[in-house]
Amino acid sequence: MGRATILTGLGAAVPESVLTNEMLAARMDTSDEWIVSRTGIRERRVVTPDIATGDLAVQAGAHALKSAEVDAVDAVVLATTTPDHRCPATAPSVAARLGLGRVAAYDVGAVCSGFLYGLASGSGLVSAGIADRVLVIGAEAFTTIIDPGDRTTAPIFGDGAGAVVLEAGDEARRGALVAFDLGSDGDLADLIMIPAGGSRRRVARAPGDEFMKMQGRPVFMNAVTRMVESSRNVLEKTGWPPESVDLLVGHQANVRILYAVADQLGLPHEKAFVNLDRYGNTAAASIPLALADAAQRGRLCAGDRVLLTAFGGGATWGAVALEWPRLTSY
Ligand code: COA
């Protein structure tokens, strides 16, 4: 049997503070009815000023290590759009705070596809023999880059973190990551962008340039197209017929996107897991947070065929197929 990557632990964390649609409607020109009907989102968790991405990452990482019943890894990969500082990366500090010692630790940036890029990176370390065990975390304090008065983005995004432990193992073992597909199109970089604060435009030229801007319509259309295409690519690599997928855990951006992807793959809506109603779009945290939620709700059983897919800023996208492991906690 070949050296495969096995998912052996899962954990998540969200800040306590809840921001409901009604609370948003009280401070901007929007309504619960508009947000629910256009996105499916009812509320989201938001960080208070004393909480940073690294804090959520440490909490989710600790849960994942406990779930895997391990206290050491060889590497920490943190997918985030909202690092604690522009420099250095947040992963080394997360590794140190988790008591993991002087292990390899680095951040991955692919916005809402970040967790899938992180999974591929962690799995690559394992299959290359560079690491035997990797902690992959997706964590965001995404609301810190959102203009609180912008009705086109403020209702969409929330904060949170999720994490998994990956280990080298037998490819026949439950929990194996079976296939990956990743892609990007830099010509679409303008669709999701913070105009100022980087090396290209160091200082804001217009008010609000330090916040994320999103062109919702084209993002929606590209998200559906690329998530379907990427999902088909991994299904082809695995040889799984689409109807054999037990659960589609897509990036939690918009329930209409998730159902459109399910429709085009020929999956009933019941197979598309949805928890964005309570958390909104948590970018790189969204898929591991959804996995932990699905596991807690009994929607994932050992041996289930699980399809993950995401689309995000860059533009970036990806899909991963895995067989669900037997986990004792999450
Ligand atoms: N409340 C009320 N009205 C709003 C609103 C809000 N929060 N936000 C926008 N509107 C208005 C617009 O001004 C527009 O009004 P107009 O017709 O008078 O010009 C109207 O609603 C429609 O706006 P539009 O942007 O075309 O709506 P939409 O149906 O595309 O929905 C999104 C907007 C953002 C919900 C949708 O485009 C979307 O979900 N896109 C993908 C976002 C995403 O998933 N991003 C992350 C992917 S990584």
Side-chain angles (χ1 to χ4, degrees), residues 28-31 34-35 38-39 41 111-113 150-157 192 212 214-221 223 227 251-257 281 283 310-313 316:
M28 64 178 67
D29 183 16
T30 190
S31 64
W34 191 94
I35 300 170
R38 303 314 293 161
T39 70
I41 299 166
V111 199
C112 298
S113 312
D150 180 355
R151 72 175 185 167
T152 68
T153 52
I156 312 282
F157 294 95
I192 294 173
M212 200 209 71
M214 178 175 69
Q215 297 176 38
R217 281 262 162 118
V219 167
F220 189 108
M221 280 154 36
M227 286 162 78
H251 167 51
Q252 302 287 307
N254 184 317
V255 71
R256 294 187 293 137
I257 293 177
N281 178 346
F311 177 86
T316 55

Side-chain angles (χ1 to χ4, degrees), residues 245-249 270-273 294 299-300 305-307:
V245 169
D246 294 294
L247 198 64
L248 170 68
V249 182
E270 305 82 74
K271 285 193 177 182
F273 184 73
R299 296 284 307 274
L300 287 167
R305 289 180 169 183
V306 183
L307 176 62

